[in-house]
Amino acid sequence: MIEEKPRISGEMTGEGGTAVPAALYLFPVPLSDSSKIGDVLPPANAELLRGIRHFLVENVRSARRFIKRVDPSIDVNLMTFTVLDEHTRPEEVESMLEPLQNGEPMGVISEAGCPAVADPGADAVAVAQRRGLKVVPLVGPSSILMALMGSGFNGQSFAFNGYLPIEAPKRAAKLREMENRIRRERQTQIFIETPYRNNKLIAELSRSLPGQLRLCVASDITGKGERIVTRPLSQWAKANYDYGKVPTIFLLFN
Amino acid sequence: MIEEKPRISGEMTGEGGTAVPAALYLFPVPLSDSSKIGDVLPPANAELLRGIRHFLVENVRSARRFIKRVDPSIDVNLMTFTVLDEHTRPEEVESMLEPLQNGEPMGVISEAGCPAVADPGADAVAVAQRRGLKVVPLVGPSSILMALMGSGFNGQSFAFNGYLPIEAPKRAAKLREMENRIRRERQTQIFIETPYRNNKLIAELSRSLPGQLRLCVASDITGKGERIVTRPLSQWAKANYDYGKVPTIFLLFN
C-alpha cells in the first residue's frame, strides 16, 4: 500500500532543502513577464524552490531567470539544471531522475505555465510514476484553464486539442469534428495557434464555421494586456482586433 | 476596440475596495480543508477579496468560511452573497450582475476548486461576456489540471468528461468512446465519480477495458492524503486500495 505523507512538508528550513521530502515537484511558471509573482504563485512554491537542488528544465536560462524572479537571494549556481525539452528522447529521461531515485527532491520547470500540460515534462512524470516515485503538482497559472474559466463556456465537458493541423484537408476535418463535438456532446473545444497566425485563424474560423457558434479569444492571460472576449463568430467577422504578437487561447462553443 | 487595462490593479487599498477595477473576478477555493492557504493561493487573491463587496457563491456558508480562512480580519457582514448553484435558472443570472453593471467589482466563489470549471459560475461569466463586462479568472487549485500534471499522460491533448453515464448501455458506450479517443487521437481521458463509488469504478474499469491501458487515480489533491498513482489496469486489478471517501479524479491513457 501507498504510505500517506503530508503533501508539502511543514518543516522546511529554507537553508539547503534537506527538509523537502523526496518527490518530483512540478513548478508552474508565470505566463507573462509583466505579471507579479504574488499575483500568480502561492508562497509555498518559493519555499519549495529554496529546498530543491536538482531541476529538469525546458530551458536553462529561463529556468534560472524564473528562480531569480521568485527569490533573488537563491544561489542558482548551487543548483543543477538538466534540459528536458521536445528534443529529449524518452530513453534519455530515465537517467535524469537519478537524484530522486537516491532520495533527493527534484523540480520540473517549463518555459511558461504548467509543466506536463501542453509543455514538456510529462515524460519525466511518466517515468517517476512507473517507478513508484512520488509526484507533486503545484498550483500556478494555466492559460488553458484560466481561458476556460473566463470564456463562459461549458466547464463540465471540454477538450484541449493543442495546435490545429496545418494541411488544409486535415484542418477542415478537425474543424468539422470540433463542431460536431460541440453540438452532440456539448464539449467546449480549446486550441492554440502560433501567435503570428492568430488573426488569420480568427478570420478562418469566422468564414468556415456557423456564425452563431461562439468564439472566445483569451490573450495575454495574467499579463498587462489580458483580454478574454467571447462573441458569436458572426460578430468576430466584423470586429477589429490584433492578436498578432501575444500568446492566445481559442475556445469554441454553442 | 477593447481598452487595455492592468489585470489586477497595483493600487489596492485593502480598505473597502474602491480601488479594485470593476470586473467579475473568479476566485478559486482550496480543494481540501487541510491545505494551507499559502500552499494553494497567490497573495493577490486575498488582496482582491478585501476590495470586493458583492459575491455570487455556490454556498453562502462555505463562501463565508473561505473568506474567513483567507483573512480572518475581513468583516463578511459587510458583504452581499447571492446564491448561484446548479438550481439557479439561467434567466435569474441576468439580474445578479447588477452591481458589476453599475461599476462595482464582483466575485464568484464556488465550493471547491475553480469557478466555472466542473462547477457553477459559467452562466454568470457567459452573461458578463454577452454584455461586454470584464472577466478576470484568478490562479488557484484545479483538481483536474493538477491530476493531469501528475499523471504523466498526454498534456497536449486531453478531454474532461465530467461524470460517466450511470445507465449500463450508455456507460459502456462512453468507455468504448474514451478508449477509441485514446488510441486514435492520443487524447487523455479525464472523468470523475461520486466518492462512495470510486472503488467500484476502479474495479469496473479493470474488468471492462484492456489491461495495458494506464489508469491514474488522483485523490485528495493538495490535501494531507494526496495520492496520485498511475498504473496499468492489469495492476489496478490486483492492487489494494480504498478511495471510498475522498474526492478523486480518474485519468486514462495508453
Side-chain angles (χ1 to χ4, degrees):
Chain A
M1 275 307 299
I2 304 118
E3 197 187 337
E4 294 198 2
K5 280 185 192 168
R7 180 165 185 277
I8 299 175
S9 165
E11 295 180 53
M12 283 177 292
T13 61
E15 301 177 333
T18 46
V20 176
L24 189 63
Y25 295 90
L26 309 176
F27 285 92
V29 170
L31 301 167
S32 166
D33 287 338
S34 71
S35 53
K36 278 190 285 181
I37 292 295
D39 283 358
V40 294
L41 295 179
N45 295 22
E47 202 54 51
L48 279 167
L49 263 190
R50 283 189 276 272
I52 299 177
R53 279 169 189 264
H54 302 286
F55 292 89
L56 305 181
V57 303
E58 189 174 359
N59 178 290
V60 175
R61 182 181 291 203
S62 66
R64 283 168 175 261
R65 201 170 48 218
F66 163 65
I67 293 168
K68 281 291 186 193
R69 203 169 146 197
V70 170
D71 182 353
S73 77
I74 293 179
D75 186 352
V76 290
N77 296 314
L78 297 176
M79 296 172 157
T80 73
F81 297 96
T82 306
V83 173
L84 173 67
D85 63 16
E86 72 271 34
H87 307 297
T88 311
R89 280 167 295 135
E91 61 271 25
E92 292 177 290
V93 179
E94 295 283 342
S95 63
M96 290 182 183
L97 292 177
E98 214 165 280
L100 177 56
Q101 197 84 60
N102 295 333
E104 289 190 77
M106 293 186 73
V108 180
I109 297 174
S110 58
E111 287 238 56
C114 294
V117 178
D119 251 330
D123 286 345
V125 175
V127 171
Q129 286 283 8
R130 206 183 318 127
R131 298 191 191 159
L133 300 168
K134 194 178 165 97
V135 177
V136 179
L138 300 174
V139 173
S142 157
S143 54
I144 298 167
L145 191 90
M146 294 173 83
L148 178 62
M149 289 168 74
S151 67
F153 294 164
N154 190 9
Q156 318 275 352
S157 173
F158 58 88
F160 175 67
N161 299 280
Y163 292 93
L164 300 186
I166 291 167
E167 278 176 72
K170 282 189 185 169
R171 194 171 173 97
K174 182 71 187 176
L175 289 181
R176 268 198 313 278
E177 178 195 276
M178 292 201 296
E179 192 190 341
N180 281 335
R181 289 184 185 177
I182 291 168
R183 292 200 195 287
R184 290 192 201 144
E185 307 171 22
R186 292 188 54 75
Q187 187 184 63
T188 300
Q189 300 297 319
I190 312 172
F191 48 100
I192 48 179
E193 182 56 281
T194 35
Y196 80 95
R197 295 175 54 111
N198 283 344
N199 295 332
K200 227 179 130 185
L201 174 63
I202 297 171
E204 178 193 4
L205 296 171
S206 309
R207 260 195 327 270
S208 47
L209 289 170
Q212 78 277 18
L213 270 191
R214 285 178 294 158
L215 170 68
C216 177
V217 179
S219 79
D220 196 20
I221 296 222
T222 72
K224 276 219 166 70
E226 176 176 300
R227 285 190 285 173
I228 306 177
V229 179
T230 298
R231 296 174 180 142
L233 282 169
S234 56
Q235 284 182 28
W236 278 109
K238 297 177 287 185
N240 286 318
Y241 49 81
D242 184 5
Y243 296 98
K245 284 172 203 134
V246 275
T248 300
I249 307 276
F250 299 90
L251 306 92
L252 280 170
F253 195 60
N254 230 343
Chain B
M1 274 307 300
I2 303 115
E3 196 187 338
E4 292 200 1
K5 279 186 192 167
R7 181 165 185 277
I8 299 176
S9 165
E11 295 181 54
M12 283 177 294
T13 62
E15 299 176 333
T18 46
V20 175
L24 189 64
Y25 295 90
L26 309 176
F27 285 93
V29 171
L31 301 166
S32 165
D33 287 337
S34 71
S35 53
K36 278 190 284 183
I37 292 295
D39 283 358
V40 294
L41 295 180
N45 296 21
E47 202 55 51
L48 280 168
L49 262 191
R50 282 189 277 272
I52 299 177
R53 279 169 190 264
H54 302 286
F55 292 90
L56 305 181
V57 303
E58 188 173 1
N59 178 291
V60 176
R61 182 181 291 202
S62 66
R64 284 167 173 260
R65 201 168 50 219
F66 162 64
I67 293 169
K68 281 289 185 194
R69 204 168 145 196
V70 170
D71 182 352
S73 77
I74 293 180
D75 186 352
V76 291
N77 296 314
L78 297 176
M79 295 169 157
T80 72
F81 298 96
T82 307
V83 173
L84 173 68
D85 62 15
E86 72 269 35
H87 307 297
T88 311
R89 280 167 296 135
E91 61 271 26
E92 292 177 290
V93 178
E94 296 283 342
S95 64
M96 290 182 183
L97 292 177
E98 213 166 283
L100 177 56
Q101 197 84 58
N102 296 333
E104 290 189 76
M106 293 185 73
V108 180
I109 298 174
S110 59
E111 287 239 56
C114 294
V117 178
D119 251 330
D123 286 344
V125 175
V127 171
Q129 286 283 5
R130 208 183 315 128
R131 297 193 192 158
L133 300 168
K134 194 178 162 96
V135 177
V136 179
L138 300 173
V139 172
S142 157
S143 54
I144 297 167
L145 191 92
M146 295 173 82
L148 178 63
M149 289 167 74
S151 67
F153 293 165
N154 190 8
Q156 318 275 353
S157 173
F158 58 88
F160 175 67
N161 299 279
Y163 292 93
L164 300 186
I166 292 169
E167 279 176 71
K170 282 190 184 169
R171 195 172 173 97
K174 182 72 188 174
L175 289 181
R176 268 198 314 277
E177 178 195 275
M178 292 200 299
E179 192 190 340
N180 280 336
R181 291 185 184 177
I182 292 168
R183 289 198 197 289
R184 291 191 200 146
E185 307 170 22
R186 294 191 53 74
Q187 186 185 62
T188 300
Q189 299 296 320
I190 312 173
F191 47 100
I192 47 179
E193 182 56 283
T194 35
Y196 80 96
R197 294 175 56 111
N198 283 344
N199 295 330
K200 230 181 127 182
L201 174 64
I202 297 171
E204 178 194 3
L205 295 170
S206 310
R207 260 195 328 268
S208 46
L209 290 169
Q212 80 276 18
L213 270 192
R214 285 178 293 158
L215 170 68
C216 176
V217 179
S219 77
D220 195 21
I221 297 220
T222 71
K224 277 220 163 70
E226 176 177 299
R227 286 189 284 173
I228 305 177
V229 179
T230 298
R231 298 174 179 139
L233 282 169
S234 57
Q235 282 181 30
W236 279 109
K238 297 176 287 187
N240 287 316
Y241 51 81
D242 185 4
Y243 295 98
K245 285 172 204 132
V246 275
T248 300
I249 305 277
F250 298 90
L251 305 93
L252 280 170
F253 195 61
N254 229 347

